[in-house]
Amino acid sequence: MRETVHVALPGRAYDVKIGPGLLSESGAQIAPLLRRPRVAVISDETVAGLHLEALRAGLSTEQIEMTALSLPPGEGTKSWTHLQTCIDWLLDQQVERGDILVALGGGVIGDLAGFAASILRRGVRFVQIPTSLLAQVDSSVGGKTGINTRHGKNLVGAFHQPSLVLADTAVLGTLKPRDFLAGYGEVVKYGLLGDAAFFDWLEEQGPALAAGDKAARVEAVRRSVQMKADIVTRDETEQGERALLNLGHTFCHALEAATGYSNRLLHGEGVAIGCALAFTLSARMGLCPQEEPSRVRAHLQDMGMKVDLRDIAGDLPDADGLMTLMGQDKKVVDGHLRFILARGIGQAFVTGEVDKADVLAVLNEALAQR
Ligand code: GLY
């Protein structure tokens, strides 16, 4: 069970390898990229406890030495402070321009280590070994790297493509069900944004996939990564089409800010709720059939996921407050919000033509159900 998706960016093309057991093959996979048999690994304490020794064993089959830094887990690590820790450590380890840095972890570690790689000695190569479902289907592919600042998430960063991505689907078995399902929010997003047949497949296979079906997991990651690779190849720096990957994210970012980026709402949970709201808004604006938002919600519900604002515990701001938080979104251009809306499942598009009154009505309706 091995799949490869090729990201065909001219001059910086790379493969995303997908399947169970890739950690133990990491030596054979990474060796062809190395100028000397040595890698520097950045991870977090939780992931390192679970997978660092498996990575060490995998690398040792090719006599590759490994030195590792483990950072605290959590979004707070995507910070200036930890970026400095990474850079100082990499320089202490005498990582050279021709060496490879390995990011072993979820989205936080991938984004932080990727950004460190982009600025260390004006850019060194790096390999992503994503260990969360979210990182395997989204953040490890496409080269977006960066950190958060007090002004918001991902506001400082660089496009820096990895040289290889190893998505070992067996490690998904170590995720807590809530984290797995949050990552599944990003998988559903791909079906909703551009592939109705994939959404049909997820409606059928989703429960088996969540229960641990290995082949279904590989297939879900492969199809998600293929779609992302295709979009990134056409629009690496998000001049247009790549923005579709932000379906659900305008609502999501407001909800994450409203819940203080805390455990009350994981990013992927916010994406799922945001996708449902984007379909409600699309239906309200007469862009897509009225049944589509219900179909989206029915699938999220079947999967035991958060579906609506009423599924978020604790207080939320009112609709105006949420609107203000949406105004902080990176997709604001000349003060105008841009939304990803849909003409149906699998048919998303970007638009700046959204009446604020429609957004407020959708939010008020959702808040009233709480
Ligand atoms: N996660 C959205 C993107 O990579 O463009």
Side-chain angles (χ1 to χ4, degrees), residues 137-144 154 159 186 189-190 228 231-232 235-236 238 242-246 249 267:
V137 299
D138 186 29
S139 59
S140 67
V141 180
K144 278 190 183 173
N154 299 324
F159 287 100
E186 298 277 3
K189 178 194 79 176
Y190 287 105
K228 178 147 190 185
I231 292 174
V232 165
D235 179 22
E236 183 183 12
E238 201 167 313
R242 185 165 180 167
L244 294 178
L245 295 170
N246 293 323
H249 283 63
H267 176 71

Side-chain angles (χ1 to χ4, degrees), residues 281-304:
L281 179 59
S282 304
R284 186 186 170 88
M285 291 169 65
L287 295 164
C288 83
Q290 296 293 333
E291 312 73 67
E292 299 287 65
S294 314
R295 192 174 158 203
V296 175
R297 287 195 170 82
H299 179 54
L300 299 177
Q301 228 138 25
D302 280 352
M303 296 298 291

Side-chain angles (χ1 to χ4, degrees), residues 18-259:
I18 302 157
L22 277 161
L23 265 186
S24 59
E25 283 172 33
S26 51
Q29 297 285 349
I30 293 174
L33 300 172
L34 298 178
R35 301 224 174 109
R36 56 176 176 163
R38 184 169 183 246
V39 293
V41 180
I42 296 181
S43 189
D44 77 37
E45 284 148 13
T46 309
V47 171
L50 291 165
H51 305 302
L52 196 62
E53 286 317 306
L55 176 61
R56 193 189 303 278
L59 292 169
S60 71
T61 62
E62 298 293 317
Q63 289 77 48
I64 301 168
E65 255 180 58
M66 179 189 104
T67 159
L69 172 70
S70 296
L71 298 168
E75 191 70 31
T77 296
K78 252 175 80 170
S79 64
W80 288 114
T81 312
H82 289 95
L83 178 67
Q84 185 174 1
T85 308
C86 288
I87 295 290
D88 284 340
W89 177 77
L90 290 163
L91 292 171
D92 287 344
Q93 301 303 311
Q94 298 178 329
V95 172
E96 296 176 2
R97 195 87 182 266
D99 287 335
I100 291 268
L101 198 160
V102 174
L104 174 71
V108 166
I109 289 298
D111 285 8
L112 173 71
F115 187 36
S118 79
I119 55 175
L120 183 76
R121 301 190 195 278
R122 297 206 176 89
V124 299
R125 294 168 303 152
F126 79 118
V127 171
Q128 290 267 24
I129 307 189
T131 55
S132 68
L133 180 57
L134 185 142
Q136 294 195 352
V137 299
D138 186 29
S139 59
S140 67
V141 180
K144 278 190 183 173
T145 71
I147 56 168
N148 306 326
T149 78
R150 66 184 173 81
H151 296 91
K153 281 181 74 171
N154 299 324
L155 292 180
V156 175
F159 287 100
H160 187 54
Q161 300 293 340
S163 300
L164 175 69
V165 181
L166 298 178
D168 184 337
T169 49
V171 307
L172 301 176
T174 62
L175 295 177
K176 293 193 195 95
R178 186 180 174 197
D179 290 322
F180 183 89
L181 285 179
Y184 186 78
E186 298 277 3
V187 175
V188 173
K189 178 194 79 176
Y190 287 105
L192 295 177
L193 78 88
D195 189 347
F198 184 36
F199 186 78
D200 295 345
W201 184 86
L202 289 172
E203 284 180 319
E204 269 178 35
Q205 299 295 325
L209 192 156
D213 185 311
K214 291 189 180 75
R217 286 182 173 194
V218 173
E219 180 62 2
V221 175
R222 183 193 69 79
R223 285 178 84 153
S224 302
V225 169
Q226 184 67 62
M227 198 182 308
K228 178 147 190 185
D230 291 345
I231 292 174
V232 165
T233 305
R234 291 190 293 263
D235 179 22
E236 183 183 12
T237 56
E238 201 167 313
Q239 303 305 306
E241 186 188 3
R242 185 165 180 167
L244 294 178
L245 295 170
N246 293 323
L247 176 63
H249 283 63
T250 306
F251 288 109
C252 170
H253 289 156
L255 295 171
E256 282 184 291
T259 49

